[in-house]
Amino acid sequence: MKKQKIEFEFIQYSAFEELNPVQIKLIQSSVQAAEKAYAPYSRFRIGTSVLLENGEILNGNNQENASYPVGICAERTLLSYVHANFPTQKKISLAITALDSDHVVSPCGLCRQTILEYETLQSQSIEILLHNRSGSVMVIPSGSSLLPLHFDRKMLT
Ligand code: THU
């Protein structure tokens, strides 16, 4: 028997100025995206922005539905759109802003699995920046670190 442990490191920033200019731009973009969220049922607006390897930034937000389970999280709204339209562009960094929360909102399980899918496909981590209305920022090195012992395409072979 061998006891094992999985750990990952993340960085907690208390001031926006500690981030680099690209990270700041990406977060600001996700704030604007959150302002356009369609979240009439939860009133919990999430905005997300992805930085592609060509420098382009694309935005998404949560899209809810009167039939609640039909709603889609901001991360999956964005990543599906981005991969549908720019399938060859690597996704470098993903900012997520929870506009109506003082908590740092981390992606749900479905979104973690989605982020992981694209990381596996591009053989490169996607940096995740979590941001909320109180201004705190947490930087997580990858989606896979949020999903220990994950299931991915390698297991299908
Ligand atoms: N939501 C997201 O868009 N992303 C997350 O990471 C967590 C939750 C949305 C789903 C729903 O529209 C609302 O937030 C409340 O759960």
Side-chain angles (χ1 to χ4, degrees), residues 39 42 44 46 61-64 72-75 96 105-108 111:
S42 69
F44 196 76
I46 306 282
N61 45 40
N62 46 341
Q63 295 294 314
E64 297 186 347
I72 310 171
C73 291
E75 297 88 328
I96 304 167
V105 174
S106 200
C108 79
C111 291

Side-chain angles (χ1 to χ4, degrees), residues 2-157:
K2 194 172 168 210
K3 222 178 205 180
Q4 311 233 38
K5 198 179 190 178
I6 298 176
E7 285 180 319
F8 76 96
E9 286 184 358
F10 62 89
I11 305 172
Q12 177 79 57
Y13 293 91
S14 44
F16 226 62
E17 300 73 48
E18 294 170 350
L19 296 157
N20 71 45
V22 178
Q23 290 173 319
I24 292 176
K25 192 173 169 202
L26 197 62
I27 288 175
Q28 285 169 340
S29 192
S30 70
V31 171
Q32 287 173 6
E35 285 164 356
K36 296 185 197 136
Y38 180 60
Y41 305 106
S42 69
R43 300 195 184 282
F44 196 76
R45 294 168 296 169
I46 306 282
T48 182
S49 299
V50 71
L51 171 70
L52 300 182
E53 63 179 337
N54 65 3
E56 199 170 346
I57 289 177
L58 292 149
N59 306 310
N61 45 40
N62 46 341
Q63 295 294 314
E64 297 186 347
N65 193 288
S67 175
Y68 294 175
V70 177
I72 310 171
C73 291
E75 297 88 328
R76 278 175 296 131
T77 303
L78 175 63
L79 291 172
S80 298
Y81 171 80
V82 167
H83 202 72
N85 289 284
F86 308 96
T88 58
Q89 281 293 316
K90 285 190 177 169
K91 300 155 190 63
I92 307 298
S93 203
L94 181 73
I96 304 167
T97 287
L99 205 54
D100 304 302
S101 180
D102 292 322
H103 298 286
V104 170
V105 174
S106 200
C108 79
L110 291 179
C111 291
R112 290 175 193 212
Q113 186 72 30
T114 303
I115 296 165
L116 174 77
E117 179 69 24
Y118 296 125
E119 286 185 338
T120 314
L121 189 64
Q122 68 184 21
S123 304
Q124 189 174 310
S125 297
I126 301 173
E127 177 188 62
I128 302 175
L129 314 170
L130 304 178
H131 173 243
N132 60 16
R133 70 176 167 201
S134 28
S136 72
V137 178
M138 190 185 272
V139 178
I140 296 167
S142 64
S144 64
S145 53
L146 291 177
L147 210 53
L149 300 178
H150 48 254
F151 179 84
D152 67 25
R153 55 165 55 209
K154 295 190 263 326
M155 297 192 180
L156 292 172
T157 57

